[in-house]
Amino acid sequence: MATTTFFYTLLAIILLSLTSVSNACPPSDRAALLAVRAALKEPYLGIFNSWKGYDCCHNWYGVSCDPETHRVADINLRGESEDPIFQKAHRTGYMTGFISPAICKLERLSSLTIADWKGISGPIPPCIAYLPFLRVLDLIGNKLTGEIPTDIGQLSRLTVLNVADNQLSGTIPRSLTNLSSLMHLDIRGNRISGTLPINFGKLRMLSRALLSRNKLNGLIPYTISYIYRLSDLDLSLNQFSGPIPASLGKMAVLATLNLDGNQMSGPIPPTLINSSISILNLSRNAIEGYIPDVFGPRSYFTAIDLSYNKLRGRIPKSISSATYIGHLDVSHNHLCGRIPAGSPFDHLEASSFVYNDCLCGKPLRAC
């Protein structure tokens, strides 16, 4: 009886062992992860201490696998996190090294996040553009250099591309406009130059386009208005020039438009005033002409900043018919005449109107 019991116990252990092995990640994925780890140095938190053993699908920090194929599907390594490992250390993360091209051997990778480590340098491996299942690429907050991979447009399933706050240069790849599933594009805070592709409007699924703090120049392509889902467009602190496309004011869901800190010229399109836009920042450009006198019930602005331009004439009385204006700044222009009474002017400070040619009335001096 004892022999039989021992036999079944031994058989159960063997079966359990075989099951564990069959549910483990393949050796090729494990080897790729270890190569990625070898290229990165994280001295304070020990997040890679768990990357040991033969099964990278279980208890490897930041690694998740597909439950059916047992291939590595997600890498989520954030240097700023509420994870207990950060709370215990009372600090954010810091990591140096580079992103190894071995990452591209993880052929079933769906999400790659290596974000906010502040010290990771080197290029984005060009082979990342050939990971066929990649949906999320988030490399924000490092010191990556080089260019956005030329063939980034091969990632037909990509929905998030976030490479903000790095030191990337070069231009926006032409192939990027082939990302028909892209919903979130963030390249802020780099050194990317050149013009926006004329066919930028092909990104029909895009809801946020954040491109500020680069060296982009040339005209804003009117095709942006073809992106009917776009709600947040930030082109600020670049070198864009020429007129503001009037078609931007005809976009159905555009709520935030930041064009400040460029070299835009010409008048303010009236379409921007009677639109769905609630945050409009056109400050620090060379915009001239009059403030369009077309405010009405559709005009709902939490903030509208027209300061540091070349605007002239009066402040339009129709502003009083806007449904809501939370903040208005028309300072540093060439405006003249009486500041209208009533809302929204009764809650604005003098700083919103200073440094004009001859504005008067509350909150400035009496006319």
Side-chain angles (χ1 to χ4, degrees):
M1 185 70 176
T3 302
T4 303
T5 302
F6 173 77
F7 172 78
Y8 281 114
T9 301
L10 181 61
L11 181 61
I13 292 173
I14 293 173
L15 290 174
L16 181 62
S17 177
L18 290 174
T19 301
S20 299
V21 171
S22 65
N23 288 337
C25 68
S28 58
D29 280 13
R30 178 180 177 274
L33 286 175
L34 292 179
V36 170
R37 171 185 175 175
L40 296 170
K41 307 299 178 186
E42 191 285 295
Y44 301 112
L45 302 173
I47 66 166
F48 290 128
N49 291 346
S50 62
W51 286 31
K52 57 187 178 182
Y54 65 88
D55 185 8
C56 59
C57 285
H58 295 89
N59 300 319
W60 282 39
Y61 183 88
V63 177
S64 302
C65 295
D66 184 287
E68 295 182 1
T69 65
H70 309 294
R71 300 294 304 274
V72 173
D74 302 291
I75 296 176
N76 186 9
L77 300 175
R78 292 192 178 277
E80 296 179 2
S81 170
E82 296 181 358
D83 188 278
I85 195 171
F86 291 85
Q87 295 180 352
K88 184 177 180 180
H90 301 291
R91 62 168 296 137
T92 58
Y94 180 76
M95 193 185 297
T96 58
F98 63 95
I99 300 174
S100 170
I103 201 87
C104 303
K105 295 180 179 179
L106 300 172
E107 299 167 352
R108 303 290 298 192
L109 198 63
S110 174
S111 174
L112 174 59
T113 298
I114 303 178
D116 295 316
W117 291 103
K118 306 174 186 66
I120 297 176
S121 58
I124 301 171
C127 58
I128 279 180
Y130 296 96
L131 289 171
F133 296 94
L134 197 64
R135 295 178 182 275
V136 175
L137 179 58
D138 186 350
L139 305 176
I140 186 176
N142 292 294
K143 290 184 178 179
L144 299 176
T145 54
E147 302 183 9
I148 298 173
T150 301
D151 295 329
I152 194 77
Q154 298 287 335
L155 297 173
S156 60
R157 304 187 186 197
L158 197 69
T159 61
V160 174
L161 175 57
N162 188 351
V163 292
D165 297 326
N166 281 285
Q167 298 173 11
L168 298 175
S169 56
T171 59
I172 295 176
R174 290 184 180 181
S175 72
L176 185 139
T177 59
N178 295 331
L179 297 175
S180 58
S181 298
L182 192 66
M183 301 172 67
H184 179 100
L185 173 63
D186 192 346
I187 63 172
R188 291 175 294 177
N190 282 285
R191 300 166 183 173
I192 297 171
S193 59
T195 60
L196 281 183
I198 187 62
N199 59 346
F200 198 80
K202 286 176 61 180
L203 300 171
R204 297 297 176 89
M205 299 298 290
L206 201 62
S207 61
R208 303 191 77 201
L210 310 177
L211 290 75
S212 67
R213 291 181 287 120
N214 279 287
K215 298 180 179 180
L216 297 168
N217 56 58
L219 301 177
I220 297 173
Y222 67 91
T223 59
I224 288 180
S225 60
Y226 298 166
I227 310 174
Y228 57 88
R229 293 173 179 264
L230 191 63
S231 64
D232 189 352
L233 177 60
D234 189 352
L235 304 179
S236 63
L237 302 173
N238 279 286
Q239 298 167 17
F240 288 108
S241 59
I244 301 170
S247 57
L248 295 179
K250 299 178 182 179
M251 299 177 67
V253 296
L254 187 63
T256 300
L257 178 60
N258 290 327
L259 302 179
D260 50 299
N262 282 285
Q263 300 166 17
M264 308 300 300
S265 59
I268 299 172
T271 52
L272 297 186
I273 304 302
N274 245 325
S275 67
S276 61
I277 297 172
S278 60
I279 297 176
L280 177 63
N281 193 341
L282 306 180
S283 66
R284 298 181 185 276
N285 280 285
I287 298 170
E288 53 195 4
Y290 301 98
I291 300 174
D293 194 6
V294 294
F295 289 84
R298 285 197 65 197
S299 305
Y300 187 104
F301 291 101
T302 55
I304 177 169
D305 192 344
L306 308 177
S307 62
Y308 291 91
N309 279 291
K310 298 179 180 180
L311 296 170
R312 56 193 172 84
R314 294 176 175 271
I315 296 175
K317 292 183 178 180
S318 64
I319 288 185
S320 299
S321 63
T323 297
Y324 177 75
I325 293 182
H327 174 74
L328 171 70
D329 192 344
V330 294
S331 64
H332 298 269
N333 279 286
H334 299 291
L335 299 174
C336 201
R338 182 186 296 274
I339 298 172
S343 179
F345 304 99
D346 51 8
H347 69 262
L348 297 174
E349 298 182 358
S351 58
S352 294
F353 305 99
V354 295
Y355 295 102
N356 277 286
D357 288 358
C358 49
L359 280 180
C360 61
K362 291 185 178 180
L364 299 181
R365 59 178 176 79
C367 292

